[in-house]
Amino acid sequence: MHTYGHFIGGKHVAGASGRFADVYEPMTGEVKAKVALASKAELRAAVENAREAQVAWGATNPQRRARVLMKFLELAQAEYDSLAELLAREHGKTIPDAKGDIQRGLEVVEFAIGVPHLMKGEYTEGAGPNIDIYSMRQPLGVVAGITPFNFPAMIPMWKFAPAIACGNAFILKPSERDPGVPMRLAELMLEAGLPAGVLNVVNGDKESVDAILQDPDIKAVGFVGSSSIAEYIYQGCAATGKRAQCFGGAKNHAIIMPDADLDQTVDALIGAGYGSAGERCMAISVAVPVGQATADRLMEKLVPRVEALRVGPSTDLTADYGPLVTRDALERVKGYVQAGIDEGAKLVVDGRDFKLQGYENGFYMGGCLFDHVTPDMKIYKEEIFGPVLSVVRAKDYDEALRLPSEHEYGNGVAIFTRDGAAARDFAAKVNVGMVGINVPIPVPIAYYTFGGWKRSGYGDLNQHGPDSIRFYTKTKTVTSRWPSGVKEGAEFVIPTMG
Ligand code: NAD
């Protein structure tokens, strides 16, 4: 059985803590590998390595740094198929969906290749008599990323590509559930010409995360995962003076207006609600039809589509979605479905007993659909993170706008309508960070930024796009004067450019 250690200083290093976690293949339910869980000392070794490597890397000109990313793109693209298969086998999502996971990460690498331009400072000539002012962006030093299981390629790349492009050294602490792809990406960065030590992967759990929070040489932490841990990381970073951006869970609503094209809307809801078994932070988990007639027409079209979902092993190219990530995740999602029934929601499609022949030990679940869900129910308030869609019937537009706006999560939201004025009003007023208009999963493209509001995101700068360059650099502003030779004497009043 394969054992993942760590990747430190450009080398594979065996775990020394004596603690390991199992890495499953969700489609068969078998343990396929073990992953070492780092101790504080092992995390520290990675930081020391990174600190040393960062000095020369930060002094390397940005074009050369970008060229490493260009080469990395080429290498990763050449390995697309094998990376996607590894990802699908450890995560459970289908191979075509795994390719999307890799692609959305590579697009941020493409963005980060623009770093020579993105890092340019500002300059004002003659801000005062003989005075020029300029600002420059400099790397922070050693920074860290702590990432979730559900996008093991995309989110590590969202973190390390801009950080490294800006001249930082990076410690990646990926999810212990699917460490294979992050480890391979680090090897490919080395092959692409990244100096050893600039990107280190430390596998682990809470112990290594706490070591990151406490380490005095780590200057910033980018986190993605569940909201309670995001909040914990944000507080831990504040306590030790680190810069932090921490993205959390979600409850993404889709508002369906009476004039929406229902066939298109149902396609969108099926893909966004059940794709990747609902294990996406931008999955649609709540559908809000506006008006009883819209709700009835929607249910009529939605029910047969949920019943017809094709659940299959991750390697089945025709499957709509694969298994959940672990047995615990499966049991947790089934627990939510039971809670929904107990609270009086109407379970219209029940996929809990789904079994796949030949894969009886895999972590599979059929699609579930609830109707008549209300805002006081646990299945509405909490993130289920499984193939379960809840329909909440709104009597009018104002109620539909209020639901996502008042929910404690605020990651993504979508509206389906043919009415431009309604869409415009909704986009302007809704209290959520990312909005789709007839687009169910509005993950912004790499050169815009990604981030949710409320309990979906802690910190003021988003991921990727221009915010990522701001997050991974600090600004230095220089005010310079070349005196003419005339001695003006001491000045006791704060200088103004008046
Ligand atoms: P998680 O919070 O369990 O784990 C995320 C990371 O935190 C992992 O690296 C894990 O090892 C670490 N961790 C777990 N428990 C910890 C603890 N007690 N102390 C310190 N560190 C700990 O999340 P997950 O299950 O891997 O991922 C799913 C969650 O991530 C969902 O809530 C999903 O919505 C969210 N997510 C959010 C976004 C976003 O951009 N907002 C994107 C993807 C996933």
Side-chain angles (χ1 to χ4, degrees), residues 146-151 154-155 158 173-177 204-207 209-210 213 223-230 232-233 247-250 279-282 383 385 409 411 434 450-452 456-457 463:
I146 302 164
T147 55
F149 82 86
N150 70 326
F151 281 99
M154 179 181 89
I155 296 180
W158 282 12
K173 205 305 283 170
S175 170
E176 60 275 42
R177 290 181 223 160
D205 57 1
K206 180 170 166 51
E207 186 170 336
V209 169
D210 287 343
L213 296 181
F223 171 88
V224 179
S226 52
S227 288
S228 55
I229 312 292
Y232 172 75
I233 307 280
F247 299 95
E279 290 175 325
R280 290 183 184 140
C281 67
M282 290 292 273
E383 181 182 45
F385 224 53
Y409 291 116
N411 214 38
M434 292 172 280
F450 179 109
S456 297
Q463 306 186 88

Side-chain angles (χ1 to χ4, degrees), residues 152-165:
M154 179 181 89
I155 296 180
M157 285 192 262
W158 282 12
K159 304 274 176 220
F160 75 64
I164 288 174

Side-chain angles (χ1 to χ4, degrees), residues 217-391:
D217 288 319
I218 294 179
K219 301 299 176 199
V221 176
F223 171 88
V224 179
S226 52
S227 288
S228 55
I229 312 292
E231 196 174 354
Y232 172 75
I233 307 280
Y234 194 59
Q235 287 171 353
C237 287
T240 52
K242 300 187 199 315
R243 200 176 273 203
Q245 50 171 205
C246 304
F247 299 95
K251 198 78 181 174
N252 306 313
H253 296 53
I255 311 305
I256 299 112
M257 296 296 284
D259 65 350
D261 178 327
L262 274 194
D263 291 318
Q264 263 176 20
T265 305
V266 167
D267 277 344
L269 289 178
I270 288 288
Y274 299 94
S276 197
E279 290 175 325
R280 290 183 184 140
C281 67
M282 290 292 273
I284 294 285
S285 51
V286 182
V288 184
V290 173
Q292 289 307 330
T294 314
D296 292 341
R297 284 192 297 129
L298 179 75
M299 290 309 287
E300 209 173 288
K301 288 182 185 281
L302 201 50
V303 172
R305 295 289 300 274
V306 178
E307 285 170 341
L309 281 166
R310 266 184 56 83
V311 185
S314 315
T315 47
D316 176 353
L317 299 183
T318 64
D320 293 329
Y321 68 87
L324 282 97
V325 65
T326 56
R327 184 161 301 284
D328 279 356
L330 180 64
E331 294 310 324
R332 193 180 41 79
V333 174
K334 286 183 179 174
Y336 272 112
V337 175
Q338 189 56 48
I341 297 168
D342 295 345
E343 283 181 307
K346 188 169 171 211
L347 185 63
V348 188
V349 184
D350 184 356
R352 285 176 296 172
D353 290 333
F354 176 84
K355 285 270 175 288
L356 191 62
Q357 211 182 354
Y359 295 87
E360 284 77 7
N361 294 321
F363 311 135
Y364 299 95
M365 184 168 162
C368 289
L369 178 65
F370 275 111
D371 197 358
H372 298 287
V373 174
T374 53
D376 54 317
M377 293 178 184
K378 183 178 157 90
I379 56 164
Y380 177 76
K381 289 195 270 200
E382 297 180 16
E383 181 182 45
I384 299 177
F385 224 53
V388 182
L389 182 65
S390 296
V391 175

